[in-house]
Amino acid sequence: MNTLMRGCDEESLRLGAQLIKQGGLVAFPTETVYGLGGDGLNPHAVQAIYAAKGRPADNPLIEHIADYGMLELLVQTTPEPARRAMEAFWPGPLTCVLPATARVPRAVTAGLDTVAVRWPEHPVAQALILQAGVPVAAPSANASGRPSPTCAQDVWEDMEGRIPLILDGGPCRVGVESTVVAFSGERPMILRPGGITREALESLLGPVDVHQSALNALQEPSAAPSPGMRHRHYAPKAQVTVVRGPGALERMLAAYDACQAAGGVPWLLISEMARSRCGERRLMSYGEGAAQLAAHLFHSLRLIDAKGATHIYCLAVDPQGMGLAAMNRLLRAADFDVMDPQEEDGR
Ligand code: TXA
Ligand code: MG
């Protein structure tokens, strides 16, 4: 298949909307990461999404909407806390898991009786959904298991030859995916941390739980409340190691040097402030603070991979605010390889 990469002018948007109406797939920008969209009411289009990504069939998709009429097509009921969260954070990087109607194809929910819905903020995403006139089912537009794409070039790397159209809307602002929240229990529960922080949700709704898989490997894969958490995620080709605890910077530099001496090609992913302490070592700076780490993590992993790295070392950040989403993605990219002398079973 020939893949077109186009800007986001009116004609390209019209072409994208037409493709979606006909059951085709379009990669498009959102404020979080690029999505791989198809008609969310058409089971064949949904199947094509799984095929293009090589995505396991048990990992359900998010339906993207651009008005409340589309929400009514998809969900049976909206509990009060979910309604308030939607009013406060939509359009934006919040995904609500709610009871699904019979209109939602089984392939979207992977057989669950709930559906995940989000109203993205990005104007191109909204225009595409409105012109297509249907909810758009869209996972992140990466090949399954790879870091999510945060620019059109990253989508091209994974999807060239597999889909007809990529809409290039420049780099994504947030850089990690939406926050997925379930509203079925007594308290709302964050199943996947993301662009809306726990603190922001709590200031609106009171206490919000965070599923223990946010920062820990699942002991029992079948216990995943969000099936996507069972699978290996966000993995670059290089081995990623997260370093935390006392003296983390010095220990990271020592690990780098040992890797180098053993014939490896180590890289550091590091904050702007720490870079001057790393000497002549190979490094990439993500900027400063957790939100910048979140914004640049996926693209940095891809860039460092392209340089032929065998190992990538990155310091942990405090899991507060956007730090929770950043650490969730970083730990998964590392397959939970953590150097921490305070954890007896840390390695
Ligand atoms: O920001 C985002 O959310 C991006 C952009 C494109 O909107 N999309 C995205 O989709 O990240 P994806 O497919 O990569 O991740 C969807 C997540 C998975 O962890 C999946 O398991 C979870 O949402 N999910 C979907 N439906 C669910 C459901 N009914 N119950 C629990 N989790 C669900
Ligand atoms: Mg994804």
Side-chain angles (χ1 to χ4, degrees):
M1 183 184 294
N2 196 23
T3 303
L4 272 179
M5 181 125 102
R6 305 262 301 242
C8 295
D9 52 281
E10 274 179 32
E11 201 194 314
S12 304
L13 273 166
R14 252 199 311 275
L15 174 64
Q18 201 180 354
L19 273 165
I20 288 177
K21 283 188 207 169
Q22 294 165 351
L25 305 186
V26 178
F28 63 98
T30 83
E31 70 278 16
T32 57
V33 301
Y34 275 70
L36 177 58
D39 180 344
L41 300 177
N42 175 345
H44 302 290
V46 175
Q47 287 302 346
I49 294 174
Y50 283 89
K53 280 189 60 115
R55 181 175 175 109
D58 65 352
N59 190 5
L61 307 180
I62 296 174
E63 293 273 17
H64 294 68
I65 63 169
D67 62 40
Y68 279 106
M70 292 184 182
L71 180 69
E72 278 173 30
L73 279 178
L74 301 171
V75 311
Q76 290 179 22
T77 52
T78 307
E80 177 62 17
R83 197 185 55 73
R84 284 168 52 211
M86 290 168 183
E87 274 169 12
F89 300 115
W90 278 1
L94 172 75
T95 294
C96 298
V97 175
L98 297 167
T101 63
R103 288 295 299 279
V104 183
R106 276 183 70 82
V108 169
T109 64
L112 299 174
D113 52 14
T114 53
V115 61
V117 187
R118 137 167 152 84
W119 183 335
E121 172 197 303
H122 199 293
V124 172
Q126 295 197 26
L128 184 69
I129 298 163
L130 287 175
Q131 284 189 41
V134 287
V136 170
S140 48
N142 52 289
S144 189
R146 298 263 299 139
S148 302
T150 53
C151 66
Q153 192 56 42
D154 291 353
V155 180
W156 180 266
E157 257 182 42
D158 286 15
M159 290 296 149
E160 197 254 309
R162 296 174 157 264
I163 59 172
L165 179 64
I166 301 170
L167 294 175
D168 182 352
C172 301
R173 175 177 63 80
V174 180
V176 291
E177 299 86 341
S178 60
T179 304
V180 178
V181 183
F183 289 94
S184 50
E186 201 144 295
R187 288 183 186 179
M189 181 184 279
I190 295 176
L191 303 181
R192 177 183 73 179
I196 298 292
T197 63
R198 175 190 198 165
E199 292 83 350
L201 285 165
E202 289 193 325
S203 70
L204 182 77
L205 303 174
V208 170
D209 292 329
V210 178
H211 193 268
Q212 57 99 14
S213 64
L215 296 175
N216 300 287
L218 278 174
Q219 304 302 323
E220 182 56 65
S222 60
S226 182
M229 283 190 255
R230 285 183 211 138
H231 303 286
R232 179 109 199 262
H233 264 132
Y234 315 121
K237 292 170 194 124
Q239 163 74 58
V240 179
T241 300
V242 183
V243 189
R244 70 179 167 207
L249 182 72
E250 290 68 30
R251 285 185 291 106
M252 179 174 76
L253 298 181
Y256 175 108
D257 294 344
C259 175
Q260 171 96 348
V265 183
W267 275 76
L268 305 174
L269 177 59
I270 193 99
S271 74
E272 197 55 38
M273 287 234 290
R275 91 185 275 165
S276 63
R277 298 172 60 193
C278 298
E280 296 298 294
R281 295 174 182 87
R282 284 177 291 266
L283 58 80
M284 195 165 291
S285 158
Y286 59 78
E288 208 52 64
Q292 293 272 303
L293 176 57
H296 299 296
L297 175 64
F298 290 142
H299 189 62
S300 300
L301 293 176
R302 284 175 179 261
L303 285 178
I304 298 175
D305 254 353
K307 307 238 183 223
T310 59
H311 291 73
I312 303 172
Y313 298 94
C314 184
L315 296 179
V317 296
D318 191 6
Q320 307 294 314
M322 281 303 293
L324 184 63
M327 283 306 293
N328 170 275
R329 303 308 190 274
L330 183 59
L331 286 166
R332 278 172 173 72
D335 206 14
F336 294 93
D337 185 33
V338 180
M339 283 173 59
D340 185 343
Q342 292 176 320
E343 282 177 20
E344 278 158 19
D345 59 349
R347 292 211 72 161

